[in-house]
Amino acid sequence: MMNLYCYNSPTRSSTGFQEGLWTLRNGVCTALDPEDAAPELRGALLDGGAKALCMDTGRGTRAFLLRGIFVRQGGQSGWHMNLILEADPADHSHWADASAAVLSDYAGFTARLAELFSVEYEGGEHCVLDTEGFAALMRDAEGAAASLCTAAEAVEEPSAAQAAFHAFAETLRAPFGTDAEAQPDRLLLLVPAASVGYFMRHTALKDLSAPEICISAAQWDALLAHEDPPAEEDPEEDPEDALPSVFPEAALLAVGAIGSALVGYGLYRIVKRFRRKRKGR
């Protein structure tokens, strides 16, 4: 079993984002009710907190989440997507191939996935997935994990980007656990939106283990673009370090300036009132 969770919307939409859930079994893809999705993954898909993560769930599956995908499709139109690929141990190899295909050709994979969605207006605007096309996309991904690992191992002196690819490829091949059973709440990869400390404190995903690989959003974008990752601060910075990204320094300075102005005006009124009383005596 491999599931595709998607929260997506075409740029030109009157209804905005919609949820979708499909399952792929024996090469046949069918639609399911989005409310049948695993609650923990549905929450991760909708609530945010991470740009990407890979984890073993409490129901014995492995999931790979990608958020904030935008694919332009000519002119000013395009698709926004958050998606999750989830598989049980029986289909782990197919899942690893799909995840490796994302890493190897992120732009191409997401563009092909976006092309499988269309909008229908009968009964109200809603997005439809070409299920046969998705099954074909998964077939085309076969062997991607092995190719990714082979390419990484063939380099004697890998660059920083190649080393990052190799590390993640090794994580993809990590076993689910003893006797092919998933380790619940095992967090293999985390790309936090702010910092790892902030994510671990506020995530709706309970009892997660410490991430085995944790990289910043900038490093993640570089990895997907096959570029050397930038030298950055430790992503496990204190949660409070993320606050300036929410309240920029310029905004704080503006608030301080306004406060100073108000205090100054108040003092001016007090002094003026005092002088009037002295004149009236």
Side-chain angles (χ1 to χ4, degrees):
M1 171 274 292
M2 188 161 74
N3 292 332
L4 169 68
Y5 300 77
C6 205
Y7 186 56
N8 67 340
S9 175
T11 301
R12 297 172 180 172
S13 171
S14 60
T15 59
F17 280 78
Q18 299 177 25
E19 286 186 73
L21 171 62
W22 296 265
T23 188
L24 183 65
R25 295 176 183 269
N26 300 319
V28 179
C29 181
T30 56
L32 300 177
D33 187 333
E35 294 189 359
D36 292 335
E40 58 189 322
L41 294 183
R42 192 180 184 198
L45 189 71
L46 303 179
D47 295 343
K51 188 165 185 178
L53 63 81
C54 176
M55 64 175 291
D56 287 347
T57 73
R59 65 176 190 170
T61 61
R62 181 163 290 173
F64 183 33
L65 175 146
L66 296 166
R67 293 180 54 85
I69 301 169
F70 176 67
V71 178
R72 188 173 297 281
Q73 295 176 308
Q76 297 300 313
S77 64
W79 285 84
H80 296 276
M81 298 186 295
N82 298 338
L83 66 89
I84 293 177
L85 294 169
E86 179 195 23
D88 57 17
D91 275 325
H92 176 251
S93 61
H94 299 303
W95 174 91
D97 283 337
S99 301
V102 172
L103 289 177
S104 300
D105 185 12
Y106 175 81
F109 185 93
T110 54
R112 283 192 61 184
L113 182 60
E115 288 173 356
L116 299 178
F117 285 98
S118 60
V119 179
E120 290 190 358
Y121 297 95
E122 185 176 349
E125 180 184 315
H126 57 281
C127 300
V128 178
L129 175 70
D130 176 358
T131 54
E132 292 185 2
F134 179 69
L137 178 61
M138 293 299 97
R139 287 195 299 271
D140 291 345
E142 291 180 5
S147 297
L148 181 59
C149 294
T150 301
E153 293 170 350
V155 180
E156 293 184 1
E157 297 182 3
S159 65
Q162 291 168 331
F165 263 88
H166 181 69
F168 191 73
E170 287 296 319
T171 302
L172 283 178
R173 296 192 296 183
F176 268 64
T178 58
D179 300 325
E181 293 181 357
Q183 295 176 253
D185 306 313
R186 178 186 182 187
L187 186 56
L188 288 85
L189 167 78
L190 174 65
V191 183
S195 70
V196 62
Y198 192 87
F199 174 85
M200 298 301 286
R201 179 175 295 184
H202 298 285
T203 181
L205 300 171
K206 302 302 181 184
D207 303 319
L208 284 174
S209 65
E212 296 180 19
I213 295 179
C214 182
I215 61 177
S216 70
Q219 292 169 327
W220 174 248
D221 291 340
L223 185 148
L224 295 179
H226 301 262
E227 299 173 350
D228 287 344
E232 293 191 346
E233 66 277 4
D234 188 342
E236 296 198 33
E237 61 189 345
D238 191 77
E240 281 70 24
D241 291 342
L243 292 178
S245 65
V246 182
F247 299 99
E249 183 178 353
L252 293 175
L253 291 174
V255 171
I258 293 172
S260 298
L262 291 174
V263 171
Y265 181 67
L267 291 174
Y268 166 76
R269 292 290 300 273
I270 292 172
V271 171
K272 187 174 182 181
R273 190 181 303 116
F274 178 73
R275 286 176 177 173
R276 284 177 178 173
K277 286 184 179 180
R278 292 193 63 181
K279 286 181 179 181
R281 289 179 179 176

